[in-house]
Amino acid sequence: MVKPGRPLETWTCTETDWPRAPVRVAEEIQASMPRNGCPLGGYYPGTSAPDPARSLLVRSRDAGMDQVSDPTDQLFAAYRTTRARMTGLAADLSPRDLGRVVPACPLWTIFDLIAHVVSMPAAIAIGASPPGSITDWLQNLIEDRRDQSAGELTEEWLSLDGAIAVILKGPGGLLFDDLAVHEHDLRTAVGAPDHGALEVEVMLPRTLGGFAEPLRQAGLGAIEVRHDDRMWRSHASEPGWTLEVTPWEAVRALYSRRTAEELRGLPHDGNVEPYLAILDAHLPLPTISLDEP
């Protein structure tokens, strides 16, 4: 498979101390989520490891104050919970099912998607880095697993727990974000939607926090999500666009799983138009609806 680079045990767990190759991989994790009409692995401007403090800005409407929490202790548990749901889905798939195209990632089959979420932590764990194009590197990681079964991929994935626990403590925490989004790409592909299958308290603040710096640079107010009696914001700023949707819908929308017209149609306050450009720069918006229930 991939050639080893710097061993995982020699890494430190801070963003500044990690060798550049794993940081580069972490920063470009989102490039592994190809969009309708967008080439696999294309680099998307503005993609970077979220600021740990800003990423965790969780605001309660009733409390009326900022509450910042550290997800380090939660992130690995959330990763394992998400992985367990995905492996459970994969276990019931036939070889023909594994060959289905994933609508959210039209250049991938279901097998490719599963191979991707396994091969990424496996590569980072041994210090492997892209020798050139990250597009080719990501695809080669998948190709290296063509002769494996879904069961073998699951076994490999489970064997990586020690490495994953370390990786998630640094900028490689984006592996969880990638996984959480891909779970629902998989669910759409197999026709098994579950809007409750989401570690909301970990994923939604991380999703919003990833937009803090691009919004500041663009001179825009925060993105806010409201649901029932809860409220989350991208950063400490007055909101310019408030989504009144479930956390699941918010994550799908903010990770460019909705077309521009679908985003305009979501219940919201504020002017959505300048925010469409921010989302499109983060991950290009699809041109074809995923028709997710």
Side-chain angles (χ1 to χ4, degrees):
M1 295 184 183
V2 293
K3 296 180 180 179
R6 183 175 177 181
L8 177 69
E9 57 268 21
T10 68
W11 298 3
T12 57
C13 298
T14 65
E15 294 186 25
T16 54
D17 291 341
W18 273 32
R20 179 58 191 161
V23 172
R24 177 188 171 199
V25 172
E27 288 175 343
E28 297 180 355
I29 285 289
Q30 292 182 41
S32 70
M33 296 186 286
R35 307 300 306 131
N36 293 316
C38 188
L40 173 66
Y43 183 75
Y44 304 126
T47 299
S48 61
D51 181 311
R54 292 171 182 162
S55 294
L56 294 209
L57 186 62
V58 180
R59 295 185 52 134
S60 166
R61 179 185 297 173
D62 294 335
M65 63 180 67
D66 292 345
Q67 300 178 37
V68 181
S69 58
D70 180 357
T72 302
D73 295 335
Q74 304 175 46
L75 199 55
F76 185 41
Y79 184 97
R80 288 186 296 177
T81 299
T82 304
R83 180 182 61 186
R85 290 193 297 261
M86 290 186 70
T87 55
L89 285 172
D92 295 329
L93 298 178
S94 68
R96 183 173 182 177
D97 291 332
L98 290 168
R100 293 185 196 173
V101 170
V102 178
C105 309
L107 298 181
W108 282 351
T109 64
I110 291 175
F111 176 89
D112 294 340
L113 185 149
I114 296 170
H116 163 70
V117 295
V118 176
S119 64
M120 280 299 302
I124 295 174
I126 60 172
S129 61
S133 166
I134 192 164
T135 302
D136 296 338
W137 186 70
L138 289 169
Q139 192 61 36
N140 287 338
L141 293 179
I142 293 171
E143 297 301 328
D144 285 341
R145 286 162 175 77
R146 286 286 175 211
D147 60 350
Q148 292 182 240
S149 67
E152 288 170 333
L153 286 172
T154 296
E155 288 180 9
E156 180 184 1
W157 205 358
L158 295 174
S159 75
L160 295 169
D161 272 7
I164 291 170
V166 174
I167 293 167
L168 291 176
K169 292 180 182 294
L174 285 171
L175 281 175
F176 169 72
D177 308 349
D178 184 64
L179 186 67
V181 173
H182 281 322
E183 175 187 356
H184 293 281
D185 295 340
L186 173 62
R187 288 185 175 280
T188 296
V190 301
D194 184 350
H195 294 192
L198 182 70
E199 276 45 66
V200 173
E201 300 306 327
V202 177
M203 184 58 179
L204 188 51
R206 289 180 61 84
T207 299
L208 285 164
F211 290 97
E213 192 56 33
L215 291 172
R216 289 189 184 97
Q217 292 178 2
L220 294 172
I223 298 175
E224 181 177 85
V225 174
R226 296 184 182 185
H227 179 64
D228 293 335
D229 62 347
R230 299 297 309 282
M231 180 173 70
W232 298 264
R233 281 187 187 172
S234 57
H235 60 292
S237 170
E238 287 301 309
W241 182 39
T242 297
L243 282 165
E244 297 179 350
V245 297
T246 66
W248 178 86
E249 182 61 46
V251 170
R252 298 305 280 170
L254 295 173
Y255 267 96
S256 293
R257 266 52 182 175
R258 299 291 179 263
T259 66
E261 284 306 308
E262 287 173 328
L263 290 168
R264 292 184 181 104
L266 293 175
H268 70 273
D269 287 329
N271 181 10
V272 65
E273 295 304 320
Y275 292 87
L276 295 180
I278 297 294
L279 266 62
D280 190 57
H282 187 246
L283 283 174
L285 298 175
T287 57
I288 302 172
S289 174
L290 300 181
D291 293 323
E292 292 184 328

